[in-house]
Amino acid sequence: MHGTHDSPVPAHRRTTPTRRRFIGLVAAGAAAVGTTAVGRAALAADPAAPLRTYASQYGIDDRERILSGVLDAADPTAVAAWITGTGSAPDGIKPEMDTQVNALADAAAADLGTPRDAVLVSWVRTAATQRTIWDRKYDFLRTGSGGAGTFGIITDEVRAEHPTELGSDPQWDPDKDSHRTVWAALTPDERQIEILRTSTAPGVSRHHLGSDADFFDTTPQDWTDDGPQAADYRWLRANAARYGFLQTYTAESAVGTPAISEERWHWSYAPVAEAVLGFVRAHDDVIAGSLDELWSYDPARFTYIRAHWRDYMFHVNETAYFG
């Protein structure tokens, strides 16, 4: 899969809700706060968080434990609002994410000779923004009527059922009448599955957090091993972990269940993203309630994701690559 690298992306994704929740998490977080002065109060008092660099997964895990303590000490409903895209990050966490994302983008621009504004192409998206993306795809809006052109990747299952109408087209195209005929025949669940292959529902997107960002370009075919973004991917693979980042969706994501296409441009600041996953596992009912409220405007277009949101939220890579 990674023909331009000496080693393939390691298979380190943890997908089940039983991933580590450290024993005595709050106590450990409190102890760490006492010794390192990076507790919630200290974080809140530091509007410009210092740059953090990491030499190994152990360092990322240590920082995750501290941030997990911050989340556990906060109001669960407020944290759930942040996670689902309707609220803000707890005090102090946003400055750290901002520092780390910008530092990675700055380094990439400098090392690759790329204009800084061409490096960080997508960052924070609210639930309202993600709803707009979801709705235009679900409603299969034409360009000029609220649509944004082609999207997603047509799944093999749907293509096999409609070979004449879809042919070899790689993506859905709302401007093609043959595609519109197929889309109209799909059930609500089937439409959601098609969208979810490359795009998450409002409330479930990691872009709500501020820990995740898209770098350089988001066109899948450009990120092949011999594509125009190949050098950018090699740089990210070699350097992102130093700033605490991991590739969120790997090639392994695309062959698992549910299948989520690999995104070589999407990287997560792991200490925050991992702490969030731990919080979600520990507060499942609070997150579920927030999502139900978010999707209440039209429950029919969220039937499948309502039953499977955990599968998508946890079906991510959770280990940084240090070579």
Side-chain angles (χ1 to χ4, degrees):
M1 135 183 141
H2 294 274
T4 58
H5 300 87
D6 293 332
S7 302
V9 171
H12 290 308
R13 193 192 73 254
R14 309 179 189 100
T15 61
T16 61
T18 56
R19 196 189 70 86
R20 68 185 187 281
R21 285 294 293 172
F22 292 90
I23 297 175
L25 181 60
V26 176
V33 166
T35 58
T36 64
V38 288
R40 191 179 182 195
L43 284 168
D46 185 10
L51 173 63
R52 296 178 180 276
T53 57
Y54 300 87
S56 70
Q57 185 67 39
Y58 297 109
I60 289 176
D61 291 345
D62 285 344
R63 188 62 186 156
E64 175 198 344
R65 283 195 291 270
I66 293 171
L67 296 180
S68 291
V70 174
L71 296 186
D72 287 346
D75 175 13
T77 57
V79 176
W82 164 50
I83 292 172
T84 56
T86 61
S88 303
D91 291 344
I93 291 184
K94 183 181 184 301
E96 180 169 339
M97 294 187 294
D98 290 354
T99 294
Q100 299 302 130
V101 171
N102 281 308
L104 180 59
D106 289 344
D111 288 356
L112 294 168
T114 303
R116 177 59 170 76
D117 60 3
V119 175
L120 188 59
V121 297
S122 182
W123 191 353
V124 183
R125 292 199 293 267
T126 65
T129 298
Q130 197 70 25
R131 170 179 166 175
T132 299
I133 297 170
W134 179 269
D135 285 349
R136 70 169 170 77
K137 293 179 178 180
Y138 187 89
D139 293 330
F140 221 59
L141 298 180
R142 292 183 185 272
T143 303
S145 298
T150 58
F151 70 86
I153 296 175
I154 299 172
T155 63
D156 293 339
E157 294 79 7
V158 171
R159 189 187 304 279
E161 293 180 3
H162 305 276
T164 301
E165 296 91 337
L166 299 175
S168 60
D169 294 340
Q171 295 181 289
W172 288 103
D173 188 347
D175 292 328
K176 283 191 174 183
D177 289 340
S178 59
H179 285 218
R180 298 183 66 82
T181 297
V182 175
W183 194 262
L186 299 180
T187 67
D189 278 14
E190 289 170 336
R191 292 185 184 188
Q192 292 165 57
I193 291 171
E194 292 299 305
I195 297 171
L196 288 163
R197 184 64 189 260
T198 58
S199 183
T200 50
V204 186
S205 174
R206 291 166 67 99
H207 280 288
H208 296 332
L209 303 175
S211 61
D212 288 47
D214 295 334
F215 294 89
F216 298 109
D217 180 74
T218 60
T219 305
Q221 55 266 35
D222 289 348
W223 289 84
T224 58
D225 288 342
D226 58 354
Q229 306 296 149
D232 297 331
Y233 183 55
R234 286 194 296 270
W235 188 93
L236 288 166
R237 284 270 291 163
N239 295 280
R242 172 175 169 78
Y243 298 91
F245 286 79
L246 54 79
Q247 182 183 339
T248 312
Y249 302 107
T250 66
E252 190 180 7
S253 306
V255 297
T257 301
I260 304 174
S261 297
E262 180 181 17
E263 295 187 353
R264 294 184 172 188
W265 57 84
H266 184 149
W267 294 74
S268 301
Y269 179 54
V272 171
E274 291 300 290
V276 164
L277 291 183
F279 180 91
V280 173
R281 291 180 173 106
H283 298 84
D284 181 280
D285 57 337
V286 180
I287 299 296
S290 295
L291 292 174
D292 281 342
E293 182 176 353
L294 196 60
W295 298 335
S296 62
Y297 74 96
D298 188 357
R301 65 185 59 205
F302 298 103
T303 49
Y304 179 83
I305 189 60
R306 175 176 281 107
H308 298 279
W309 65 265
R310 298 165 188 84
D311 299 331
Y312 285 89
M313 189 172 286
F314 297 126
H315 188 47
V316 292
N317 172 43
E318 296 190 44
T319 303
Y321 177 72
F322 283 93

